[in-house]
Amino acid sequence: MKKLVRLFGLFLVGNFVLAQSLAPYPKQITLEKINVDAWAASIEKGSEDDLKDAFSAYVKKNFNLKSKKNGRHGLIVPEATLPQVTTRRGDLHVQFSNDAGRPEMAIAFMMGYDIYLNARETPQEMERFKEFFTTFLYNYYKEYYEKQIRDKEKMIKDLRSQISNNEKKVKSLQNDIEKTQKKIAKESDQLKKTELENKNVVARRQIDALNEMNANNSKQINAIEAEISQIKMQIANIGK
């Protein structure tokens, strides 16, 4: 119960913070051959599958509710209890469409065949249902961007590992060049001396290639770090 109260408090606070860009809009969807009032949102990031996975994980983690597929483009959470929205038990429906070129997500709450949350008969519950949806959207975008950051940080880690390995190779090649130079200084046979000098030419070319690779890797790291900064700004501005 304490967890539910705390989450409900977040919904109320989030309603002010997220009101502008995350505010869902009213829509009617067809469920069981009747038109039902719903809240909908056009999703700017991710795919329908991303949303399905995120919503299923969200209701499981926060409310211990299990969702299942409901047709090709839907989910249902049967006999759901959402005390922060309504005291009644019902089926939480989620529908997806892609008419505008990007996913649209709509949610509705049905307590019976033709009994559902709506702005006319249950305005307060419908408003709290909107807050529930708004909070999910906030969490969805936040986790979406945070995953992007983790992926990019892994790319940076891999690039830095490549730089470190290349630096070790450069150092080893430089040591080889120094040893070869000493052999050249002592060598009296011109043919062998030429072979040793050619060996060093190849080693220096390898060093140049490795240094160029590291310079490119460093540029990539700088570019990715700039992208991470932009993503962090996007996270900070979710709902503003």
Side-chain angles (χ1 to χ4, degrees), residues 1-8 60-64:
M1 180 59 71
K2 288 183 179 179
K3 182 178 181 181
L4 291 172
V5 170
R6 185 169 65 254
L7 286 168
F8 186 36
K60 177 64 177 176
K61 177 182 177 181
N62 292 291
F63 309 105
N64 198 29

Side-chain angles (χ1 to χ4, degrees), residues 93-104:
H93 288 266
V94 186
Q95 274 193 0
F96 298 93
S97 59
N98 200 27
D99 298 334
R102 58 186 180 187
E104 182 189 62

Side-chain angles (χ1 to χ4, degrees), residues 13 18 43 46 80 94 106 108 113 122 151 171 183-184 206 211:
V13 173
L18 312 173
I43 308 300
V94 186
Y113 173 70
T122 55
D151 291 342
K171 188 174 182 180
K183 290 181 181 178
I184 292 172
Q206 289 177 326
N211 286 334

Side-chain angles (χ1 to χ4, degrees), residues 4-22:
L4 291 172
V5 170
R6 185 169 65 254
L7 286 168
F8 186 36
L10 290 174
F11 296 151
L12 295 176
V13 173
N15 188 45
F16 295 101
V17 177
L18 312 173
Q20 292 183 349
S21 63
L22 293 184

Side-chain angles (χ1 to χ4, degrees), residues 58-76:
Y58 181 77
V59 295
K60 177 64 177 176
K61 177 182 177 181
N62 292 291
F63 309 105
N64 198 29
L65 296 173
K66 189 173 182 179
S67 63
K68 60 182 182 180
K69 289 184 179 180
N70 187 26
R72 185 177 178 184
H73 299 288
L75 292 173
I76 184 172

Side-chain angles (χ1 to χ4, degrees), residues 9-168:
L10 290 174
F11 296 151
L12 295 176
V13 173
N15 188 45
F16 295 101
V17 177
L18 312 173
Q20 292 183 349
S21 63
L22 293 184
Y25 45 84
K27 182 179 181 177
Q28 280 205 328
I29 61 175
T30 302
L31 295 174
E32 300 176 11
K33 299 182 179 179
I34 64 171
N35 290 332
V36 176
D37 286 3
W39 289 111
S42 181
I43 308 300
E44 298 178 2
K45 301 293 181 181
S47 65
E48 180 178 318
D49 287 339
D50 293 332
L51 287 161
K52 286 177 179 176
D53 291 343
F55 188 81
S56 297
Y58 181 77
V59 295
K60 177 64 177 176
K61 177 182 177 181
N62 292 291
F63 309 105
N64 198 29
L65 296 173
K66 189 173 182 179
S67 63
K68 60 182 182 180
K69 289 184 179 180
N70 187 26
R72 185 177 178 184
H73 299 288
L75 292 173
I76 184 172
V77 183
E79 299 184 0
T81 54
L82 296 174
Q84 73 283 3
V85 173
T86 178
T87 57
R88 290 172 285 183
R89 184 187 298 266
D91 293 340
L92 175 56
H93 288 266
V94 186
Q95 274 193 0
F96 298 93
S97 59
N98 200 27
D99 298 334
R102 58 186 180 187
E104 182 189 62
M105 180 179 180
I107 66 169
F109 195 83
M110 296 190 70
M111 291 82 74
Y113 173 70
D114 59 353
I115 305 172
Y116 50 89
L117 293 185
N118 61 82
R120 299 172 303 281
E121 299 171 327
T122 55
Q124 292 182 339
E125 291 172 320
M126 195 63 174
E127 189 62 26
R128 291 196 291 267
F129 193 41
K130 179 183 179 181
E131 293 164 4
F132 163 83
F133 190 28
T134 301
T135 303
F136 162 73
L137 292 172
Y138 173 81
N139 280 275
Y140 170 75
Y141 283 119
K142 184 171 181 288
E143 290 178 5
Y144 177 88
Y145 287 128
E146 286 175 346
K147 182 180 184 303
Q148 282 193 326
I149 289 175
R150 290 194 299 271
D151 291 342
K152 291 183 182 299
E153 285 176 341
K154 184 180 183 304
M155 291 171 63
I156 289 176
K157 183 178 179 181
D158 291 342
L159 286 167
R160 284 178 174 158
S161 177
Q162 288 179 22
I163 289 173
S164 178
N165 289 336
N166 288 344
E167 286 174 344
K168 290 176 182 177

